[in-house]
Amino acid sequence: MDVNKFWTGRYITGDMSEVRGQLAVKRGLEVAAAGGHNVLMLGSPGSGKTMLARRLPGILPGLSLAEALEVTNLYSLAGLLQSGQPLVTERPFRSPHHNTSTSAIVGGGKYPKPGEISLAHLGVLFLDEVAEFRRDALEALRQPLEDGVVSISRVHASITYPARIMLIASMNPCPCGFLGDAERECTCTPLQVQRYLNRLSGPLDVLRITFNDLENSPPGETSETIRQRVQMARETQSARFSKDMCNADMSPSQLKKYCRLNREAMDLLRAAFTRLKLSARAHNKIIKVARTLADLAGCSDIQVEHVAEAVQYRGMERKYWGN
């Protein structure tokens, strides 16, 4: 009997339907969840960034039994299993403070224990006010985001822990927090804004979304409704790659094999590449996100509307970072 088939444990802290408005942001988080993409949310203080981030695990597929055992082993090594909790059945959600040491984020000690990155394995690592984190802490995210593992070397031991995470980060658009706000005027100088944004110019490669004004709108879709679409997209990807893998993890050869664009979509991507002066890396990221959008729509090939939406997420970089 396949016990994984019956495993349904999920981590839920509130429901997406409780968040009014912010339809574009919810859409971005759904796309990220479906394809395993990382996200940076920009918005003024109080716009709901943390509220939405904490609801993300509720739209992710449930842990399989094998995955639950992986997470449980990590929490056992870290000494974080609670009394009477033999198995972690919920996707982890870790949210370290920006003053957290790099060692605590990566992992450490005389005999290295898992840090926050590994404790978020198969779940979500949420970095609120990400621009306030230490530069070396952000740099330490490079390896796990690219390879899905964390390697720690100490005098007495060197060890590698799994770290397949979804990174969700949030930040204000400027030091005072109100750049572009419709109700409050930004008090920052252009130089202050640029210095603030440049703290994030290198280490993180993420899908970026901005916040709209809060609307007096009726409740939106429930987390369960969104999760069902995410689950179907994830199943499409598992069938495509013949293993548990997301679009965000595609290699260049897989990108070429599985991401067919029709002529209209290719023309749009070519125009965006030239107009936005995109790097080859950004070009590939757009295709990965477009592939996820096509999976959510049940399309075998990537259509022009999928490329258009994927370019929209990347286009924000030009507005704030100028590249």
Side-chain angles (χ1 to χ4, degrees):
M1 180 174 64
D2 183 5
V3 292
N4 290 330
K5 180 178 178 182
F6 302 99
W7 198 255
T8 59
R10 288 190 292 119
Y11 182 101
I12 300 176
T13 54
D15 195 273
M16 281 290 186
S17 63
E18 298 166 351
V19 182
R20 302 299 180 95
Q22 310 294 16
L23 297 181
V25 184
K26 291 179 185 177
R27 170 66 171 175
L29 291 177
E30 177 182 342
V31 173
H37 307 286
N38 304 310
V39 174
L40 171 63
M41 297 186 288
L42 273 83
S44 301
S47 57
K49 301 185 292 294
T50 300
M51 183 181 187
L52 276 159
R54 291 190 177 279
R55 282 157 177 74
L56 180 60
I59 68 173
L60 292 171
L63 286 174
S64 68
L65 181 55
E67 289 174 331
L69 290 171
E70 283 187 52
V71 176
T72 300
N73 285 337
L74 289 167
Y75 275 68
S76 178
L77 288 169
L80 294 178
L81 279 183
Q82 298 178 6
S83 177
Q85 182 191 26
L87 193 69
V88 176
T89 60
E90 303 166 340
R91 288 197 180 271
F93 182 92
R94 304 295 298 185
S95 181
H97 189 268
H98 59 77
N99 286 332
T100 302
S101 69
T102 302
S103 177
I105 290 175
V106 176
K110 183 177 180 180
Y111 297 97
K113 292 184 177 182
E116 292 291 340
I117 298 175
S118 290
L119 293 173
H121 177 56
L122 298 176
V124 175
L125 178 64
F126 177 48
L127 302 185
D128 195 12
E129 302 296 343
V130 65
E132 303 300 329
F133 278 77
R134 293 168 54 96
R135 184 77 179 186
D136 57 345
L138 297 181
E139 290 286 353
L141 289 167
R142 283 184 180 274
Q143 182 191 17
L145 290 179
E146 292 180 2
D147 303 330
V149 296
V150 171
S151 297
I152 309 169
S153 297
R154 296 292 185 269
V155 174
H156 295 280
S158 294
I159 193 166
T160 297
Y161 288 118
R164 290 172 52 199
I165 63 173
M166 273 191 68
L167 174 65
I168 308 299
S170 72
M171 64 184 290
N172 298 328
C174 66
C176 79
F178 296 102
L179 180 66
D181 190 88
E183 297 183 359
R184 294 187 60 176
E185 183 178 355
C186 174
T187 60
C188 306
T189 66
L191 181 58
Q192 287 174 324
V193 172
Q194 198 57 52
R195 285 177 175 172
Y196 178 78
L197 294 174
N198 282 346
R199 297 180 188 177
L200 226 61
S201 61
L204 304 183
D205 194 351
V206 295
L207 181 154
R208 295 183 168 109
I209 51 182
T210 53
F211 276 62
N212 299 321
D213 293 334
L214 187 63
E215 304 169 3
N216 293 320
S217 57
E221 292 181 306
T222 65
S223 292
E224 178 60 26
T225 298
I226 300 171
R227 189 193 70 83
Q228 289 175 8
R229 291 196 297 268
V230 170
Q231 178 73 45
M232 291 180 63
R234 288 283 187 107
E235 289 174 355
T236 296
Q237 292 161 61
S238 294
R240 174 185 299 130
F241 304 123
S242 299
K243 60 180 178 178
D244 182 18
M245 175 179 161
C246 293
N247 289 332
D249 302 320
M250 280 189 287
S251 66
S253 61
Q254 290 171 323
L255 204 68
K256 185 175 181 179
K257 180 178 181 180
Y258 297 117
C259 298
R260 297 187 303 272
L261 280 70
N262 62 26
R263 179 173 296 181
E264 190 178 10
M266 182 62 75
D267 288 344
L268 176 60
L269 181 59
R270 185 180 297 111
F273 184 86
T274 301
R275 180 169 57 86
L276 298 176
K277 297 181 174 60
L278 298 173
S279 65
R281 187 181 184 88
H283 169 275
N284 290 346
K285 290 289 183 178
I286 286 175
I287 295 178
K288 291 179 181 181
V289 173
R291 176 68 270 173
T292 299
L293 289 162
D295 291 342
L296 282 168
C299 298
S300 57
D301 289 344
I302 298 172
Q303 309 294 321
V304 65
E305 60 266 26
H306 307 137
V307 173
E309 186 174 347
V311 168
Q312 173 188 319
Y313 296 126
R314 279 280 159 180
M316 196 183 72
E317 295 183 18
R318 187 176 181 85
K319 176 180 178 181
Y320 288 95
W321 278 267
N323 53 44

